[in-house]
Amino acid sequence: MDVIDSPWTRLLKQILTPQEQADGAYENPDVTPGGGKWSEPGVPHRGWHVVDYYKSGEQDHVCEMCEKQRVMFVHVMRHEDYPDDLKVGCVCAGHMEEDLDRARQREVRYRNKAKRRDKWLSRRWRSSFTYGGEYLRTDGLSISVYPNDSFWSATIRHRATEYKRDSERRYKTSDEAKYAAFEVMMDWLEKKPWEKNRRSRTR
C-alpha cells in the first residue's frame, strides 16, 4: 500500500509491527474512509464516542465500519442512535468521533504501551537487599516487587518527590506483581499524580 508521506504516516510506520509493515495492514490517514457501513442508510457517520480500546487477538479482524481494513488495534465506538457497538480502525474511529488527532494519539499511546509491556519482564531488574525481591528504575520512578509471606507485593515510587503507592492486592508470582506495577506506572506517567499531591501540600 502506498501511503502519502506526512508526519503522521511517518510516525505510524515507526510503530507498526514487522508483520503489519510486511502485509500493509494499516490505514492511510490521508484518505477519508468509505464503503461498508459508511454507505448504509441509517448508520450515523458522526457523533460516536470511544468506550474501549484493545489489541485484537485475531490476525484478520476487519473494521466493522468500512468493512475492508484489517485492524490489529481496535477502537470500540458507540452511538446513542445505533443499536450496536462497532469495532473499528483508527481512521474510521477518528472520523466517527470527529477528532482524528485524538484517535491517532490513542493509537500511538496504546501501541507504545503494548511494546513496553512485551519487554517489561526482560528489563534489567536488580536484586533488592532491602525488600528481598527485585527493583527497576525507569522514567523517574522506582518499582519494587517483593515477597510478602506466601505472596508477592509491589511498591511504585516517584523518586523526585517520594510520592509512592503500595499494592493493595497480593500476587501469586513476582511476574504478576511486575505486570500490575506496569499498569500503575503507565497510568502515573499519563496523569502525574505526584504533581497534584505536591500542590495540595503547599496550600
Side-chain angles (χ1 to χ4, degrees):
M1 176 188 296
D2 293 328
V3 179
I4 300 172
D5 187 53
S6 69
W8 164 245
T9 54
R10 288 196 295 271
L11 176 60
L12 184 56
K13 288 179 180 180
Q14 291 175 8
I15 60 175
L16 292 172
T17 65
Q19 184 60 43
E20 287 177 301
Q21 294 182 38
D23 62 20
Y26 58 92
E27 299 166 279
N28 183 342
D30 300 302
V31 176
T32 302
K37 290 184 176 64
W38 288 109
S39 304
E40 286 186 17
V43 179
H45 292 177
R46 303 290 183 263
W48 295 77
H49 64 277
V50 64
V51 294
D52 196 9
Y53 187 83
Y54 63 92
K55 182 178 181 180
S56 175
E58 304 175 14
Q59 297 298 315
D60 57 352
H61 177 76
V62 176
C63 172
E64 295 179 351
M65 189 64 171
C66 67
E67 299 180 350
K68 60 184 178 183
Q69 179 64 51
R70 282 177 292 129
V71 176
M72 179 175 291
F73 290 86
V74 179
H75 305 242
V76 183
M77 308 300 292
R78 182 172 297 169
H79 197 289
E80 62 180 11
D81 295 327
Y82 194 76
D84 303 316
D85 291 347
L86 296 182
K87 301 173 182 178
V88 308
C90 178
V91 174
C92 280
H95 285 278
M96 292 164 75
E97 63 183 321
E98 300 180 86
D99 193 338
L100 190 54
D101 284 341
R102 182 180 179 185
R104 290 168 172 172
Q105 292 166 9
R106 189 163 59 238
E107 181 102 347
V108 171
R109 186 165 58 246
Y110 194 92
R111 283 175 177 267
N112 286 338
K113 179 180 177 180
K115 281 188 174 183
R116 293 193 67 170
R117 193 179 192 281
D118 288 343
K119 299 177 181 178
W120 186 239
L121 296 183
S122 61
R123 296 286 300 273
R124 293 184 60 185
W125 292 81
R126 300 179 183 275
S127 297
S128 171
F129 297 105
T130 303
Y131 295 103
E134 296 177 280
Y135 72 92
L136 175 70
R137 290 179 176 174
T138 182
D139 297 276
L141 305 173
S142 179
I143 296 102
S144 302
V145 296
Y146 44 90
N148 187 351
D149 294 329
S150 58
F151 296 90
W152 285 79
S153 297
T155 294
I156 180 168
R157 175 174 59 88
H158 182 246
R159 293 162 60 195
T161 63
E162 293 298 319
Y163 179 82
K164 73 173 186 176
R165 173 180 167 186
D166 299 319
S167 61
E168 297 179 357
R169 294 182 56 187
R170 296 184 296 178
Y171 302 93
K172 294 181 180 180
T173 66
S174 62
D175 286 355
E176 285 186 11
K178 287 177 181 178
Y179 278 131
F182 173 82
E183 294 299 327
V184 174
M185 180 192 75
M186 296 305 296
D187 184 65
W188 277 23
L189 292 178
E190 181 177 351
K191 298 179 180 177
K192 297 180 173 55
W194 56 86
E195 292 183 353
K196 180 179 180 181
N197 182 67
R198 183 165 49 191
R199 288 195 298 269
S200 65
R201 289 190 301 177
T202 57
R203 291 176 180 173

